[in-house]
Amino acid sequence: MIAKLRWYYNRLKLMDFEEVIFYRLPQALQSKIFGRVQARQTPKPLKADSNFEIIRYSVDSLEKLFEVSPISTRYNFFNVEVDILKIKDWRKDFHNEISSPIKYYGSLNRQDFKKNGDVKIVSELSRLHFLPFLSLKYLESKEDEYLNGIQATLTTWNAQNPYLKSINWTSGIEVAIRSVNLIYSHMALKQADKFPDKLEKELLSLLSFNYQFLKNHLSLYSSANNHLTAELMGLVAISTYCVFGQKERNKWKTLLFREVMSQVNKDGVHMELSTRYHAEVTDQLLIALHFLSGIGIQIPAEIENRHKKMFEFIEHVTYHDIETVFGDSDEGYVIEPYFVNNFSLYKSQLASSNHLYESSYNSSNTIDFRNYLIFGESFHVSEKKSALVDTFFKSSGYCFMYDHMHGIKLSFDVGEMGDNVSSAHGHSDMLHFTLQQHGLAFIIDPGTYQYHSRESFWRDYFRGITAHNTISINGQHHAVMNNRMSWIAKPKAPEATVSFSSKKSTCSGKHTAFLNQGVIHQRVVTLNRKEGQVVILDSLEKENDEEVIASIFFHVHPDAQMGHDGNSIKIKHLDAELELKNNEFCNAKIFDGDDQVPMGWFSPKYNLKQKTKTICINLEVVKSIELETYISYC
């Protein structure tokens, strides 16, 4: 009880009076009282608007696409595989074999593992990512197997998830993504030779319930993040694709535009400062803006420009097929071509930008399924290649430096922890860096692994400071963990400076997160192309004479081999090798999958973790010191 009261107290500290009165109280009334009435109501059926400029798909194009990537009914997600034509239980966590009950949504605890399983795994299937592709496959093949599969999916889903009476009615982002996939499915089926009335009725009926849910459950105030942009995407998509009055459409459009300017920093990076969530929000806005264009709405220049800049950041996220991971990552999608091996959302998005905004980002000359679903026959591609240059995203604090001759990419986080409210998807990663060479990751971000409260031990590790290539003082994080998703007592963003030249590029940051321990941490990261070397210079400025313990961490990719000899550590990955030198490496401790500390773990995907090696140096610090780490490559 005390822990729960403390949680509520910390939550209230993040809110102002206006939020409590105009959002939290109505939110509680909605789930406890109003929702019980709404659960017994049936909303007016929706109709597709004939004035919407429908996205056209052709059988010829689909035949070519399916020839390259044959559609499969096997769906893999979060270490789980199911046959989408044989799903009998839409409230089931197929990883843990737990089925949640039919129960009023206001009385369901999403974190009650024993009753509901892992809600993230349960919800993923009900995003219905596969439905548009089954619809396109039916349009191309005219095989009843796919049409019957779509019909069975909607019939069983609707029967097993009565409105507001299941776990699948507890999150707006899930409902919004489900809505978009339903609309694309309807669009494809409308162009088929056969679209049974029963199927269309069930699809539009679910869409109408989705709309009612979304408009009554917007994530506002301190909850306004990627969930809100997703919810507004759903409302915009439904209200533009279906028959609605202009007033209602304008309401969602206005709110969407407000969130673009609020959530997307001036440098184009989403405020949550997570590379994956940045990509998800980029798609949410892309789809919403495209649906607005479908009814002839002109997108304001300031909105379009802010969206354009989001792709500039995406260009730097992936290099030689290795993705830079900062903050939380759950491999989330709005549209997921689940049957395409090694599908890259980032690369697909760069092709979207080249099509929409005539940009020149790296892309191939092939059409991918995500872009074809969004744009249809109008989508055009042309192979483009451009050399990435050293770039600092000033508002967000992300720095990327390159040595193309040797395939080196150095990513440096000199920004704050997540958004400026609760840092919901942020990690304790101030002054954290990653390093790759060609298509090989060497110094890595260990990832995310899990969100569920049942996995709080591992959740805290993967988002904590010991899972990042930075320095901790006396075992402290950069902020205080509030619950499994948020932080409090967050420090100011580091003071940052950059200097780029052809031979050498430098980025530095200084933060005061450990000022309560009498320490200021400054890190200067230099990429010296002439010497083939990365230099990490850490300065710990002591404000008093009290002894502290400084812990420095380096996380190595699990596929790499590592040799430790005195002050030298060599990391070999296939034919490439790095050598790290530090005068304190002779005292370093190497952790390899220690589940007690914990240390030495890597999560390549959500709900999956594996052993890796972590280098840890612990130093007793009384006075100000400097610590140099040299990383040589060739």
Side-chain angles (χ1 to χ4, degrees):
M1 175 61 74
I2 292 175
K4 197 165 188 178
L5 288 172
R6 187 181 294 115
W7 182 85
Y8 280 117
Y9 171 73
N10 287 331
R11 288 274 292 176
L12 286 170
K13 284 204 299 184
L14 296 173
M15 305 174 198
D16 56 25
F17 178 77
E18 186 182 68
E19 175 174 356
V20 173
I21 298 299
F22 295 107
Y23 177 49
R24 297 298 171 181
L25 288 178
Q27 183 186 45
L29 291 171
Q30 163 63 37
S31 64
K32 301 302 180 185
I33 300 174
F34 302 148
R36 296 186 183 277
V37 176
Q38 295 161 4
R40 297 193 293 268
Q41 298 174 338
T42 301
K44 183 180 178 182
L46 296 176
K47 287 180 60 179
D49 192 339
S50 59
N51 293 319
F52 183 87
E53 188 177 339
I54 198 164
I55 299 161
R56 298 291 175 185
Y57 308 112
S58 79
V59 173
D60 289 344
S61 295
L62 288 170
E63 284 177 347
K64 293 176 184 176
L65 286 168
F66 289 127
E67 185 179 340
V68 175
S69 298
I71 196 168
S72 169
T73 63
R74 307 300 300 181
Y75 182 39
N76 290 278
F77 66 101
F78 301 159
N79 217 19
V80 176
E81 182 180 278
V82 296
D83 188 328
I84 55 180
L85 297 184
K86 296 179 181 179
I87 300 172
K88 303 299 181 183
D89 188 345
W90 291 97
R91 301 188 311 277
K92 186 175 181 178
D93 167 354
F94 283 92
H95 181 75
N96 297 292
E97 297 296 320
I98 299 173
S99 185
S100 59
I102 292 181
K103 191 176 181 181
Y104 177 65
Y105 83 125
S107 61
L108 282 167
N109 178 1
R110 287 170 57 87
Q111 296 302 308
D112 189 334
F113 182 83
K114 290 182 179 179
K115 292 182 179 179
N116 305 315
D118 188 333
V119 67
K120 185 75 178 167
I121 296 173
V122 177
S123 300
E124 190 71 14
L125 273 181
S126 288
R127 289 185 171 193
L128 304 180
H129 285 307
F130 47 85
L131 216 56
F133 299 105
L134 290 182
S135 303
L136 287 175
K137 183 60 181 174
Y138 173 69
L139 176 63
E140 177 258 337
S141 69
K142 300 182 175 61
E143 294 178 16
D144 286 341
E145 174 191 15
Y146 300 107
L147 188 65
N148 295 338
I150 297 165
Q151 178 69 75
T153 293
L154 289 174
T155 300
T156 56
W157 198 96
N158 286 332
Q160 294 174 15
N161 295 276
Y163 185 50
L164 299 186
K165 293 181 181 177
S166 89
I167 197 76
N168 287 315
W169 291 110
T170 56
S171 172
I173 190 171
E174 310 301 335
V175 176
I177 293 173
R178 181 160 68 238
S179 299
V180 167
N181 284 299
L182 285 169
I183 291 174
Y184 283 122
S185 301
H186 187 276
M187 209 177 301
L189 291 170
K190 285 287 282 185
Q191 297 172 58
D193 295 335
K194 183 167 60 174
F195 191 179
D197 290 341
K198 179 186 176 185
L199 175 55
E200 182 174 27
K201 183 177 179 180
E202 288 204 79
L203 192 156
L204 291 174
S205 173
L206 178 52
L207 208 57
S208 65
F209 280 118
N210 288 354
Y211 184 80
Q212 293 303 314
F213 180 90
L214 290 170
K215 75 174 189 177
N216 291 324
H217 297 84
L218 286 177
S219 302
L220 302 171
Y221 291 92
S222 63
S223 294
N225 49 25
N226 71 87
H227 283 247
L228 179 56
T229 53
E231 291 155 5
L232 291 171
M233 169 195 68
L235 287 165
V236 165
I238 297 171
S239 64
T240 52
Y241 184 70
C242 298
V243 177
F244 275 90
Q246 196 61 41
K247 183 178 179 180
E248 193 123 2
R249 287 174 168 173
N250 283 338
K251 179 180 180 180
W252 309 130
K253 178 194 71 174
T254 301
L255 286 175
L256 178 77
F257 290 171
R258 183 193 72 184
E259 290 308 311
V260 172
M261 302 307 293
S262 173
Q263 292 196 34
V264 182
N265 294 332
K266 291 181 179 180
D267 60 7
V269 182
H270 185 251
M271 67 176 190
E272 289 180 306
L273 303 183
S274 153
T275 49
R276 185 63 190 203
Y277 279 92
H278 172 93
E280 291 182 44
V281 173
T282 301
D283 255 16
Q284 292 164 10
L285 299 181
L286 169 66
I287 289 165
L289 296 177
H290 197 241
F291 270 87
L292 288 170
S293 299
I295 56 172
I297 290 179
Q298 184 72 32
I299 308 302
E302 63 176 0
I303 301 299
E304 189 173 87
N305 288 336
R306 193 64 63 96
H307 188 234
K308 277 183 186 178
K309 291 189 73 65
M310 297 185 81
F311 295 98
E312 291 182 22
F313 180 69
I314 287 170
E315 185 185 32
H316 288 275
V317 172
T318 181
Y319 181 68
H320 286 293
D321 295 327
I322 298 293
E323 297 170 359
T324 296
V325 176
F326 286 140
D328 274 343
S329 175
D330 59 7
E331 298 85 54
Y333 297 88
V334 179
I335 295 167
E336 182 185 7
Y338 63 94
F339 50 88
V340 178
N341 292 329
N342 301 316
F343 172 73
S344 170
L345 175 59
Y346 302 107
K347 288 184 176 180
S348 180
Q349 288 180 326
L350 294 179
S352 300
S353 176
N354 291 345
H355 168 75
L356 267 179
Y357 300 128
E358 298 183 352
S359 52
S360 299
Y361 299 128
N362 288 307
S363 66
S364 68
N365 60 357
T366 58
I367 299 176
D368 67 90
F369 279 98
R370 173 189 156 277
N371 277 307
Y372 187 72
L373 183 66
I374 295 173
F375 300 108
E377 288 296 298
S378 70
F379 183 74
H380 61 272
V381 294
S382 58
E383 189 170 15
K384 296 182 179 181
K385 293 184 178 180
S386 61
L388 292 166
V389 297
D390 295 352
T391 302
F392 178 54
F393 291 87
K394 185 176 180 180
S395 302
S396 309
Y398 286 138
C399 184
F400 300 95
M401 295 179 276
Y402 303 89
D403 180 348
H404 295 298
M405 182 178 295
H406 296 95
I408 289 288
K409 176 185 176 184
L410 176 63
S411 306
F412 186 36
D413 183 353
V414 67
E416 59 183 324
M417 291 173 54
D419 65 57
N420 56 13
V421 181
S422 64
S423 304
H425 289 291
H427 288 190
S428 183
D429 58 1
M430 296 173 80
L431 309 187
H432 157 74
F433 77 98
T434 60
L435 182 65
Q436 70 176 79
Q437 185 168 29
H438 299 300
L440 304 171
F442 280 88
I443 309 298
I444 60 170
D445 184 300
T448 298
Y449 178 56
Q450 258 283 355
Y451 290 157
H452 202 284
S453 58
R454 180 174 181 261
E455 300 286 356
S456 60
F457 175 80
W458 291 108
R459 172 62 174 154
D460 290 350
Y461 165 68
F462 278 102
R463 68 178 177 138
I465 197 168
T466 60
H468 295 88
N469 305 305
T470 187
I471 291 182
S472 173
I473 300 297
N474 289 338
Q476 286 195 355
H477 304 292
H478 293 111
V480 178
M481 291 183 182
N482 183 35
N483 53 37
R484 64 188 177 86
M485 298 302 290
S486 66
W487 300 80
I488 56 176
K490 192 180 72 169
K492 293 180 180 179
E495 299 174 12
T497 59
V498 295
S499 174
F500 297 150
S501 71
S502 60
K503 294 181 180 179
K504 185 167 66 175
S505 293
T506 298
C507 181
S508 70
K510 178 192 286 189
H511 70 75
T512 57
F514 304 126
L515 198 55
N516 62 340
Q517 303 295 309
V519 177
I520 296 174
H521 179 203
Q522 180 176 24
R523 171 169 279 183
V524 182
V525 176
T526 301
L527 177 60
N528 190 328
R529 300 174 187 85
K530 184 179 180 181
E531 300 295 331
Q533 196 172 68
V534 173
V535 182
I536 312 293
L537 174 61
D538 287 301
S539 301
L540 299 178
E541 301 175 19
K542 290 289 276 91
E543 299 288 304
N544 56 45
D545 293 330
E546 293 183 15
E547 181 181 293
V548 298
I549 302 298
S551 302
I552 306 98
F553 309 100
F554 302 90
H555 301 271
V556 180
H557 194 279
D559 291 341
Q561 297 175 326
M562 197 176 81
H564 183 192
D565 183 11
N567 291 330
S568 171
I569 293 177
K570 291 184 178 180
I571 305 172
K572 188 173 183 180
H573 200 167
L574 297 180
D575 295 329
E577 184 176 272
L578 301 183
E579 182 177 18
L580 285 69
K581 287 187 176 181
N582 184 303
N583 288 337
E584 300 296 334
F585 275 163
C586 57
N587 300 314
K589 185 173 182 180
I590 311 299
F591 293 88
D592 188 358
D594 188 316
D595 57 8
Q596 298 298 315
V597 177
M599 196 90 73
W601 292 95
F602 173 58
S603 175
K605 292 184 177 181
Y606 189 83
N607 201 42
L608 177 65
K609 70 178 188 294
Q610 61 191 78
K611 293 181 179 181
T612 193
K613 289 182 173 60
T614 295
I615 305 163
C616 176
I617 305 171
N618 289 316
L619 293 174
E620 296 177 353
V621 182
V622 178
K623 297 180 179 180
S624 298
I625 65 166
E626 287 190 347
L627 189 69
E628 292 179 308
T629 304
Y630 297 90
I631 305 174
S632 300
Y633 60 87
C634 60

